[in-house]
Amino acid sequence: MTDVSLRAVPLVPNPVQIEDLTLLEEVASRTAGVSRLEMCIQCGTCGGSCPSAAIMDHTPRMLFAMLRAGMREEALKSNTYWMCVSCYHCVVRCPQNVHIADVMYTLKSMAIQAKLYQDSTAPDFSKTFVEMVEEFGRSFEIGLASIHYLKHFPLRLANMTPMGMGMLSKKRMSLLPKRIKNMDQLNAILKRAKELEAVQ
Amino acid sequence: MTEKNDVNTTLTGGQEKIGVYICHCGTNIAGVVDVAQVAAWAADKLKHRGVVIARDYKFMCSSLGQELIEKDIKELGLNRVIVAACSPHLHEKTFRTACSNAGLNPYLCEMVSIREQVSWVHTDKVAATAKAKAMISGGVERVRHQVPLEAMTVPIHPDTMIVGGGIAGIQSALEIADAGHHVYMIEREPSIGGHMAQFDKTFPTLDCAACILTPKMVSVGTHPHITLLTFSEVEKVEGYVGSFTVTVRKKARKIKEDLCTGCGICQEKCPKKVIDDVYEAGLGYRKAVYTPFPQAVPNFPVMDVENCTYYEKGTCKACEKFCPTEAIDFNQQDEILTFQVGNIVLATGYDLFDARRVTNYGYARLPNVFTSLEIERLSNAAGPTNGEIVLRDGKTQPKAVGIIHCVGSRDRNFNNYCSVICCMQSLKFAHLMHERTGATVYNFYIDMRTPYKDYDEFYQRVLEEGTLFVRGKVAEVTDVPRIPAEKGKLIIQVEDTLIGKQRRIPVDMVILSSGLEPRKDSYETAKKFGISCSANGWFTEKHPKLDPVATMTEGIYIAGCAQGPKDIPTSVAQGAAAAARVLGKIEQKEVALEPVRASVIEERCSGCRICNGLCPFNAISFHEDRMVTEINPALCQGCGTCVAACPAGAITGTGFTNDQIMAQIEGLLLLNIGQEPVAA
Amino acid sequence: MNDYLLYPGCSMETSARAYYDSLKAISKPIGLNLNEIEDWNCCGATEYLGISLTPAYALIARNLALAANASNGKQDLVAPCSACYLNLAKADHYMREQPKLGKMVNEALAAGGLSYKPGSLEVRHLLDVIVYDIGLETIEKNVVRPLTGLRVAPYLGCMVPRPDYENRWSDHEYPIELDVLLKALGADVIDYPLKTECCGGHMTQIGPETAFELIRRLIATADEHEADTMVTVCPMCQLNLDAYQGETNHFFGTNYHMPILFFTQLMGLAFGIEPKDLGFGLELVSARNVLDSLGVKAPPETPPAPPKRPRKQEGLPRPKPLSKGPKVDELEKEVAQ
C-alpha cells in the first residue's frame, strides 16, 4: 500500500516573494528633484564611499538593486537608509548622477508610513525632532535628548552626565524651549503641506 | 516627347509633367504618415500644377522602386521628378542616377525628406500627414523652376596629405606610397610614432610595441614617395577635393637637417635637464636639445627654445661647440611651405584623460598613484628606470598593486563614453606586474570589456595567473590608515559588489587606467579642415555604421582614435581603409562636383562687398575697376552664405534661385492650391 | 559695506554660541553687514526630510520666502551652519529642477500667506562669503596678531563642499577655501587629508559606536599631523568633535585633547579681539593651549624666515597639481605672496 501521507505532501517550491515592479518608479517619483534612480549601473561607488557601510544591512547599491527587483518589504525593512549620514560622498561620485542621498530620505518616509522598520531608534529620533519643531518652530535639544535617551539609550545617560552638565553650565543648551512668534503661520503651512502630500 | 532631349529644358508655363513618388520606407514613413492618402491628394490637388502621376511604394530606393521612376519617365514623358522619402544625404544620388538612366537630367529630380523631417520627428499622425502634403507641395513648386545642370568635373591631384604620424597615419601613408603615389606626412611632434611609441607591450599578443612599430616608422622615413615633415603643423587649408592648397609651418628645430648625422653628441653635452612631459609622460628627463626617443624618425634632434639656456641668458651654446658637422643654427626660422594635394587624411590621435581631475583617486597628491602612460614608460626597457617597475622613490618594488578601470570614462562627471581599450590595458598591466614584480595584483572593474579576437582568451590567461578581480568602482584612494596594518600603504576603498561589502585593500602602487579623450584642439582642427566634430570632440564620420572613415567634406578622411577611441588593430584597419578611398579617388583621376553654384547678377551688384569676407572657400573676388563682385565657379561649393547675405539679392544660386525658394514657400503654405491651372 | 541676510539656525544661540559671538565680533572689522531674518524657523536639519517630502520643503521654504521678501533681490542669504545651508540651497535647487515640487510647496506657503519664487535668492555659506566676497586682502589688512606657529587642521565637514549645486567650491573632496583663509591669518595650515570626511552627524544619537569611530578617526589624524587645534565651519561638527570627545576617548581608551574651534574664532584672535568676546571658554575641550601658544609667539617685527631652497627631489618626478579654474587660482596666488 502506497504511503498516502508522502504523496499528500505538496511539493512546495521555495517561497517566492511577490515582486512589486512599480516600486522603483514609486520611489523615484516621491524623491525631490530628478532622482535618476533608473540609471544606476550597479558600479558600487556609493557603497565604497559610504562611511556607515559597515553597519548597513545592505550597501546603498544593493538597496537599489532590491528596489529594481521590486522587493518592497525587504528593502523597507533594511536599516540601510536609517544609517545614512547625508555626507553626499555618493552623490558627487556617482558616475550616473543618481541623487542617492535624497532617495534615502524617501525610503525613510516610506518605511515610517508602512511601519516597516526593524530598529526604531532612528525613526523615533526623527519623529521626536519633528514633534519639537511642529510645537515650537525651533529645535529643542534638551527635550529631544531626554525623550530619546530615556527610550533608547538609558545606560548612556550616566556616561553623558559630564557632557550634559558641561553644556548646561556653559549655557550651550537651554532648559526652556524657544518659540517663534508666528507659530500659527507655520502650522497653517505645514497642515496644507501634509494635505498635499497625502493626495500624492 | 519622343526626343529625350526635349524634356531637359527650362519650363514653367504648361509643359511640366511632374511625377511624385512617395516612399513608405517600410513602416519608417508609412507608420506615421498616411502615404496612400498623400499620393491620392497629390495626384488630385496638384494636378493643375503639373503633377501627372503620384505613386506610393514600399521601398523607392530598391531596384523595383527605381524602375517605377524610369518607366514613368519613358512612358509618360515626365520632365520633373519628386521623390518624397528619406534625406537627400542618403539617396539623392540613387534617384538622380535612376533619372539619368532614363534620359532625364539628374538635376531635374528633387527629394523631399518626409522621413527625417516628418515621420521621425512627429508622433501626431494627422498633423504629420498634413505636413508631408505641404512639403510635397513645396517640392513640386520648387522643381518647376529647376533647370537642367551639368556636373562639373575637377581633376584629382595625385598627392595626398596625411596629418598625424601615429600608427593609423603611418599605415595610411605606407599604403598610398606603396601604390606609387606621393604622400606628405605632417606630424606635430619631433618624431612620428604617436602614442604607440610610448607603450611597452601591446595586447593581446604582448608584442613589444616598438618592435612592431619601428620597422613601419623606418619605412616611412626612407620611402621615396613620402615627404616627412615633422615638428610641423598645418596652418591653413584652402580649396576642395582634388585640389587642396595647404600651408604648413615647419617649425624651426634649430638644427640644419642636411648637415645633422643624428650622432647625439649635442644631447649628451647639453647641461640643461628638463622634465619630459610628452614622451616620458612626466616621469623622466630630457635635455633642452633632444630627440624624443632613440628610435625616433627622423633622427634629428630638436631644440626646446623655452628651456634652452642660450635663449634665456645668451650663454652656453655647448651643443654648437661640440657638433662635429656644425649643424646647430640658433637663428633658424620657421619655414612656411605651400603645396597642392588631392586628398587629406586626418589621423591626429587622442589625448589621455587628466587623472588629476578625479580628486578622490589622489593622483598628483599621493606619490604612488600612476596613470597608464606612466606605467607604460616605467615598464619600457628604454624608459626612465630601464624597465624596473618601482615606486615614485625610484627604488622600491611594489608588493601589492591595485589597477583601477574606468578612470574618467563611463562617468557623467567626466566623460560619458567607454574608452574601449582600458579593460584590455588593465589586464595587460596585471600580467606585467605579475611577471616583473611578482606582486599581488588587484583589478577593480565595473564590467569586463574584452570583445575582439583573442581578447577574452587574454582575460582567461590573466585569471590563471592569479590576479584578484574585484567588481566595484573604486570610491577613493587614501593614505590615512585606520588600523596599524594600513600604515604606510595606499588604501583602496571600494564596495566589492559581488560580496556586497565595503573593503579597504592596502596596496603599494595604484595604477589608474585613464580614459581616452579627443585632442584638446580638435575643435580648431575640425574648423581648419572644414569638417565637423561631435560635442565630445571626436571627428564626425559620414555614417557611423557604414562609412566610418569618410567625412561630410569630400576629400577629407579620418582614421584612428581621432574618430573615436579604439585599439591598434582597428586603427590600422581604418588607416588602410582611408588609404583605399584615397587611392580610389586618385585612380578615377577626376571627380564630379555638385553643380550647385552661386553667381552674381552683375547689374544688381552695388559693390558693397559684404559677401567678400564671408566665403569659407575663398571663391569671391572683387573687381575694383567695375566695382562688382565675382564668384569663381570652380571654388564655389554652393553653401549659400553669400546668397543670404547680399542685401540687394544680387547673388543667386543654381538649384537655389530666389524664384525657386519663393515658389517653395508658396507651395509649403499651400497657396498654390486653388490657383488657376497651369495650362498652356 | 557688504549687506547680507542672515539665517542663523537653531544651534547658533545655544550649542554653537561661540560661533555666533565670534561672528558678531568679526563682522564689523571686515565690513560684513548681517541682517537676521525676522522670525525664522528651524530648517528641519536631516530629520524632517525623512518624515515626508512636501512638509519638509515647505518648512525650509518658509525661511526662503521670508528672506526673499526682506531681500527684494538685493541681498544674498547667508547661513553659517552647514546643514541649514544645505537645506536652504537644496530646497531652492529642487524647486527649480522639479516644477511640481515648486508648485506644491508654494501652495503650502500660500496657506500661510507667503510665496517663494525658486531662484530668487542666492543661498551662500558664511565661509564662501568671507573668502570670495569680502576677500583675503581685507582679511589680511585686519590681522594684527598673526597666528604664526599655530598648527591648524582645517576641517570643513561634508555638507559644505557637497553636493554644491551652484559650483561655488573649488573641489568636492579637497577644497582649499578654508586653507587659504587660515593661511591669510598667518597660521601654519596642515594638509589635512580628512578635511571633508563626515563627523557622524546625528549618528551620535542613532548609532553611537559608528559615530565615535568617525570622530576618533578625525581627531587621531589631526593629532598625527601634530595639529594644535582643529577648525570647523559647522556647529554639528564642532559639537560632535568637541562635546563627544570625552565619550569617544572613554570608548576607545584614548586620551586625545584636541580643541575644536570655529574659524571665526581664529579670525577674531588674529584681529586682536579679546578671547572672551569670541566665545572662548565655551568649548568642552579647553582651547587654552591655543591662547597660550599665541601669547608667546614672536612679535610681528621679526623678519620672516628666508625661503628654503627647494630640496633636490629624490626618485621619479611627480605630476604638478591641477589648476581648478581662474577663481581658485586667484585665491591661491593671493595667499602665496
Side-chain angles (χ1 to χ4, degrees):
Chain A
M1 181 135 148
T2 49
D3 189 353
V4 180
S5 60
L6 275 175
R7 254 199 291 148
V9 171
L11 290 165
V12 179
N14 285 331
V16 175
Q17 214 187 51
I18 301 170
E19 290 181 354
D20 180 359
L21 293 176
T22 62
L23 181 59
L24 194 70
E25 222 186 288
E26 185 187 331
V27 173
S29 68
R30 287 177 66 157
T31 307
V34 179
S35 71
R36 291 177 55 85
L37 188 52
E38 64 284 353
M39 303 301 286
C40 174
I41 55 168
Q42 293 286 302
C43 70
T45 303
C46 50
S49 310
C50 185
S52 329
I55 50 168
M56 288 179 172
D57 290 336
H58 310 97
T59 60
R61 174 202 61 85
M62 280 187 78
L63 193 67
F64 293 162
M66 288 159 69
L67 290 179
R68 192 179 282 179
M71 296 164 72
R72 180 182 286 268
E73 235 188 83
E74 264 207 47
L76 291 179
K77 276 202 191 137
S78 165
N79 79 344
T80 301
Y81 44 91
W82 293 116
M83 299 294 117
C84 171
V85 290
S86 301
C87 72
Y88 283 82
H89 261 305
C90 52
V91 173
V92 300
R93 289 177 184 169
C94 175
Q96 294 288 84
N97 278 356
V98 178
H99 293 224
I100 298 167
D102 294 306
V103 172
M104 295 299 169
Y105 285 127
T106 309
L107 292 171
K108 281 183 190 167
S109 68
M110 282 173 73
I112 288 183
Q113 275 178 24
K115 294 201 173 53
L116 271 180
Y117 41 86
Q118 309 266 53
D119 178 351
S120 64
T121 317
D124 280 349
F125 185 73
S126 296
K127 283 197 225 167
T128 314
F129 188 103
V130 167
E131 278 165 25
M132 299 288 158
V133 174
E134 289 182 348
E135 179 71 31
F136 305 113
R138 300 277 181 91
S139 68
F140 178 38
E141 272 134 38
I142 208 172
L144 173 63
S146 41
I147 295 177
H148 184 72
Y149 280 103
L150 278 171
K151 185 164 179 204
H152 289 281
F153 296 108
L155 299 174
R156 250 175 97 193
L157 283 171
N159 269 336
M160 291 187 67
T161 316
M163 176 190 130
M165 296 311 293
M167 294 287 281
L168 278 172
S169 66
K170 292 178 196 272
K171 296 213 178 58
R172 284 176 71 181
M173 212 158 46
S174 74
L175 283 167
L176 295 169
K178 280 216 165 75
R179 209 193 212 102
I180 63 170
K181 284 185 250 164
N182 220 336
M183 206 52 225
D184 292 335
Q185 185 188 51
L186 182 60
N187 278 329
I189 293 175
L190 291 176
K191 181 159 169 277
R192 184 86 190 99
K194 287 181 192 165
E195 285 167 10
L196 288 167
E197 179 85 353
V199 293
Q200 265 275 66
Chain B
M1 200 107 68
T2 48
E3 248 301 69
K4 290 205 177 80
N5 282 331
D6 275 345
V7 299
N8 294 331
T9 56
T10 315
L11 303 173
T12 53
Q15 302 106 313
E16 292 93 343
K17 286 193 164 66
I18 305 175
V20 175
Y21 299 88
I22 303 170
C23 186
H24 293 219
C25 197
T27 50
N28 272 315
I29 298 177
V32 179
V33 174
D34 188 342
V35 285
Q37 195 199 107
V38 174
W41 178 89
D44 176 34
K45 295 283 186 209
L46 295 174
K47 191 163 169 198
H48 65 296
R49 303 302 288 168
V51 173
V52 298
I53 183 99
R55 296 187 197 277
D56 63 280
Y57 187 64
K58 265 214 160 46
F59 294 104
M60 282 307 299
C61 54
S62 65
S63 47
L64 289 175
Q66 292 177 54
E67 270 173 35
L68 270 181
I69 302 178
E70 292 176 33
K71 196 154 149 306
D72 283 346
I73 294 174
K74 290 188 192 137
E75 288 181 8
L76 300 175
L78 296 182
N79 49 35
R80 297 285 185 277
V81 168
I82 294 274
V83 181
C86 51
S87 161
H89 276 309
L90 228 44
H91 279 306
E92 190 170 62
K93 214 164 171 179
T94 314
F95 298 118
R96 285 193 172 162
T97 312
C99 290
S100 174
N101 289 339
L104 185 66
N105 182 295
Y107 295 95
L108 297 176
C109 166
E110 286 281 332
M111 272 192 81
V112 172
S113 172
I114 57 168
R115 190 182 74 172
E116 278 81 343
Q117 296 194 13
V118 182
S119 71
W120 271 5
V121 293
H122 296 299
T123 46
D124 181 342
K125 291 190 186 173
V126 173
T129 307
K131 182 173 174 181
K133 288 178 187 167
M135 288 181 69
I136 289 173
S137 162
V140 163
E141 290 307 316
R142 175 203 176 83
V143 84
R144 293 179 59 232
H145 292 268
Q146 192 57 291
V147 298
L149 300 169
E150 292 301 324
M152 261 178 65
T153 53
V154 289
I156 301 272
H157 197 291
D159 289 356
T160 312
M161 175 170 74
I162 306 213
V163 182
I167 184 64
I170 288 175
Q171 184 67 26
S172 229
L174 286 175
E175 302 240 350
I176 300 177
D178 283 344
H181 295 287
H182 185 246
V183 172
Y184 292 95
M185 177 174 275
I186 319 290
E187 165 59 51
R188 178 190 291 183
E189 297 298 325
S191 161
I192 56 174
H195 280 293
M196 191 174 165
Q198 294 176 282
F199 298 163
D200 178 30
K201 297 262 161 60
T202 54
F203 56 77
T205 48
L206 296 175
D207 282 312
C208 153
C211 305
I212 52 177
L213 179 62
T214 40
K216 291 206 183 215
M217 283 167 60
V218 170
S219 296
V220 169
T222 54
H223 208 291
H225 292 301
I226 300 183
T227 304
L228 185 55
L229 297 168
T230 54
F231 207 52
S232 310
E233 289 204 43
V234 174
E235 292 237 308
K236 209 165 34 148
V237 177
E238 299 167 298
Y240 53 95
V241 60
S243 46
F244 290 107
T245 307
V246 182
T247 311
V248 170
R249 175 181 291 271
K250 190 165 186 301
K251 297 186 286 197
R253 295 177 109 98
K254 312 296 182 191
I255 310 279
K256 293 196 203 118
E257 289 174 23
D258 42 350
L259 294 176
C260 175
T261 58
C263 67
I265 291 186
C266 52
Q267 286 188 77
E268 246 185 77
K269 300 296 180 188
C270 175
K272 185 74 182 286
K273 230 166 143 191
V274 176
I275 293 185
D276 186 346
D277 269 327
V278 179
Y279 186 71
E280 296 285 15
L283 215 51
Y285 297 94
R286 58 166 171 78
K287 299 292 183 68
V289 62
Y290 67 102
T291 29
F293 49 97
Q295 311 96 322
V297 169
N299 207 357
F300 309 126
V302 76
M303 204 171 292
D304 178 4
V305 166
E306 276 172 30
N307 285 305
C308 169
T309 320
Y310 171 70
Y311 289 100
E312 227 183 312
K313 303 189 199 146
T315 55
C316 184
K317 284 197 175 186
C319 47
E320 197 183 43
K321 286 188 206 118
F322 284 98
C323 176
T325 50
E326 290 177 22
I328 309 276
D329 179 5
F330 287 101
N331 299 315
Q332 194 182 63
Q333 297 298 315
D334 292 349
E335 230 184 290
I336 307 284
L337 301 161
T338 314
F339 48 84
Q340 301 269 67
V341 291
N343 292 283
I344 300 177
V345 177
L346 290 175
T348 47
Y350 68 87
D351 271 336
L352 199 67
F353 169 75
D354 189 349
R356 292 176 298 179
R357 292 169 63 187
V358 191
T359 33
N360 40 323
Y361 289 168
Y363 180 64
R365 188 177 55 89
L366 302 168
N368 289 321
V369 178
F370 294 84
T371 60
S372 43
L373 270 183
E374 284 182 324
I375 294 295
E376 294 281 0
R377 294 314 308 152
L378 217 48
S379 61
N380 194 311
T385 58
N386 293 322
E388 289 285 318
I389 309 245
V390 288
L391 298 176
R392 208 60 86 154
D393 63 1
K395 27 190 177 105
T396 324
Q397 261 206 351
K399 293 209 188 53
V401 179
I403 305 175
I404 304 181
H405 296 216
C406 297
V407 174
S409 307
R410 300 185 66 192
D411 194 332
R412 286 188 64 119
N413 299 314
F414 304 108
N415 291 321
N416 212 357
Y417 51 81
C418 170
S419 289
V420 177
I421 50 102
C422 322
C423 275
M424 281 307 292
Q425 175 187 264
S426 308
L427 292 176
K428 176 182 78 175
F429 290 148
H431 166 83
L432 222 53
M433 290 296 143
H434 272 299
E435 198 182 53
R436 301 287 191 78
T437 64
T440 311
V441 180
Y442 298 90
N443 274 55
F444 300 94
Y445 66 99
I446 310 175
D447 294 297
M448 195 54 84
R449 301 196 160 172
T450 54
Y452 294 123
K453 196 165 183 177
D454 291 334
Y455 282 13
D456 206 67
E457 291 88 325
F458 191 71
Y459 178 31
Q460 305 288 320
R461 175 182 179 171
V462 174
L463 275 166
E464 274 171 25
E465 286 169 357
T467 310
L468 299 165
F469 285 93
V470 176
R471 187 197 176 272
K473 185 168 153 76
V474 171
E476 64 180 287
V477 176
T478 173
D479 62 347
V480 180
R482 288 189 197 165
I483 51 175
E486 290 180 353
K487 231 172 141 74
K489 300 269 190 185
L490 282 177
I491 299 123
I492 295 182
Q493 188 172 300
V494 64
E495 181 190 344
D496 186 334
T497 61
L498 299 173
I499 311 177
K501 292 253 177 290
Q502 193 184 83
R503 285 173 71 176
R504 282 174 64 96
I505 300 174
V507 295
D508 298 313
M509 175 193 261
V510 172
I511 302 178
L512 303 177
S513 273
S514 313
L516 306 188
E517 281 186 333
R519 290 278 182 191
K520 293 191 182 28
D521 58 351
S522 56
Y523 287 119
E524 286 79 32
T525 310
K527 249 173 72 173
K528 203 181 279 187
F529 287 87
I531 62 172
S532 49
C533 59
S534 68
N536 283 322
W538 306 111
F539 293 146
T540 310
E541 60 285 294
K542 192 157 189 193
H543 192 279
K545 286 203 118 34
L546 297 177
D547 211 349
V549 295
T551 60
M552 293 303 238
T553 309
E554 284 279 323
I556 304 200
Y557 301 93
I558 49 179
C561 284
Q563 185 251 355
K566 52 179 64 72
D567 55 2
I568 293 172
T570 319
S571 296
V572 168
Q574 280 201 349
R581 301 291 288 268
V582 167
L583 286 172
K585 280 257 162 10
I586 298 177
E587 179 68 24
Q588 287 174 325
K589 296 205 174 52
E590 60 180 21
V591 71
L593 293 181
E594 283 282 322
V596 178
R597 292 273 173 284
S599 58
V600 176
I601 304 170
E602 271 200 27
E603 305 83 65
R604 294 202 206 158
C605 174
S606 65
C608 72
R609 302 187 71 175
I610 288 181
C611 58
N612 284 199
L614 294 172
C615 180
F617 304 98
N618 291 324
I620 301 186
S621 52
F622 188 66
H623 291 285
E624 296 278 355
D625 48 338
R626 287 179 290 140
M627 290 293 281
V628 289
T629 292
E630 192 190 336
I631 298 175
N632 181 345
L635 292 175
C636 172
Q637 295 290 294
C639 72
T641 308
C642 57
V643 178
C646 177
I651 309 183
T652 182
T654 47
F656 277 91
T657 60
N658 294 335
D659 288 339
Q660 274 184 301
I661 295 177
M662 297 309 288
Q664 188 169 15
I665 294 174
E666 286 192 4
L668 276 171
L669 296 172
L670 298 176
L671 294 175
N672 52 347
I673 312 289
Q675 273 187 17
E676 286 304 307
V678 185
Chain C
M1 260 291 168
N2 288 298
D3 281 320
Y4 294 90
L5 287 167
L6 176 67
Y7 176 84
C10 302
S11 8
M12 288 297 258
E13 290 163 358
T14 50
S15 57
R17 241 190 40 250
Y19 204 179
Y20 207 22
D21 290 346
S22 48
L23 174 58
K24 281 195 282 217
I26 58 152
S27 299
K28 195 124 176 274
I30 57 175
L32 181 61
N33 197 13
L34 297 168
N35 308 308
E36 191 171 319
I37 312 174
E38 266 295 318
D39 205 31
W40 51 271
N41 59 273
C42 177
C43 73
T46 51
E47 309 308 332
Y48 213 123
L49 285 165
I51 303 293
S52 50
L53 186 65
T54 317
Y57 281 103
L59 183 75
I60 304 169
R62 177 172 174 272
N63 298 304
L64 289 171
L66 292 173
N69 283 343
S71 144
N72 247 327
K74 295 204 192 74
Q75 298 175 61
D76 287 351
L77 178 59
V78 177
C81 165
S82 305
C84 302
Y85 162 68
L86 175 61
N87 277 346
L88 292 165
K90 210 162 66 156
D92 181 58
H93 178 82
Y94 281 148
M95 281 171 73
R96 253 182 297 156
E97 190 181 74
Q98 199 189 31
K100 189 176 87 158
L101 178 68
K103 214 159 74 74
M104 294 217 300
V105 169
N106 267 312
E107 241 192 87
L109 287 177
L114 293 172
S115 82
Y116 177 66
K117 182 160 173 282
S120 42
L121 269 181
E122 292 280 323
V123 180
R124 315 273 300 277
H125 187 269
L126 181 66
L127 180 65
D128 175 15
V129 165
I130 289 181
V131 169
Y132 285 115
D133 286 6
I134 307 289
L136 294 177
E137 254 190 77
T138 313
I139 308 289
E140 279 169 353
K141 270 203 220 113
N142 280 288
V143 172
V144 301
R145 180 168 52 198
L147 309 174
T148 326
L150 184 68
R151 288 178 69 77
V152 185
Y155 175 63
L156 270 160
C158 51
M159 294 195 197
V160 164
R162 296 188 291 271
D164 196 15
Y165 295 120
E166 312 296 329
N167 286 322
R168 297 195 199 277
W169 303 94
S170 55
D171 191 56
H172 289 139
E173 319 262 349
Y174 298 100
I176 59 154
E177 279 77 4
L178 189 53
D179 297 47
V180 298
L181 176 62
L182 293 169
K183 277 204 195 106
L185 299 176
D188 198 357
V189 181
I190 295 170
D191 186 13
Y192 186 54
L194 301 182
K195 64 163 79 144
T196 58
E197 294 297 309
C198 184
C199 67
H202 70 182
M203 289 307 277
T204 45
Q205 316 304 317
I206 313 287
E209 284 91 43
T210 316
F212 293 153
E213 168 58 22
L214 291 171
I215 295 169
R216 181 204 70 83
R217 242 178 251 168
L218 292 168
I219 297 179
T221 313
D223 189 64
E224 262 169 45
H225 282 83
E226 292 168 13
D228 293 321
T229 176
M230 280 175 75
V231 161
T232 68
V233 305
C234 166
M236 179 99 252
C237 297
Q238 202 276 346
L239 183 74
N240 275 10
L241 291 169
D242 175 42
Y244 288 92
Q245 204 173 123
E247 256 192 286
T248 308
N249 271 330
H250 183 86
F251 188 77
F252 288 103
T254 49
N255 197 12
Y256 293 116
H257 185 93
M258 177 67 65
I260 318 285
L261 297 171
F262 289 103
F263 73 101
T264 41
Q265 292 180 287
L266 280 189
M267 280 175 76
L269 272 187
F271 291 175
I273 302 176
E274 280 300 306
K276 65 170 169 48
D277 293 332
L278 297 170
F280 276 92
L282 292 174
E283 66 282 350
L284 291 186
V285 177
S286 168
R288 170 157 286 150
N289 65 320
V290 172
L291 298 175
D292 286 343
S293 65
L294 284 181
V296 297
K297 272 308 135 198
E301 297 91 52
T302 312
K308 276 192 269 206
R309 266 249 302 265
R311 220 168 9 115
K312 186 164 193 277
Q313 204 173 17
E314 304 240 344
L316 301 165
R318 294 171 52 162
K320 300 182 250 331
L322 177 67
S323 149
K324 286 291 166 68
K327 201 171 72 154
V328 178
D329 284 348
E330 265 308 306
L331 266 189
E332 293 193 305
K333 244 192 285 171
E334 271 188 63
V335 169
Q337 21 78 341

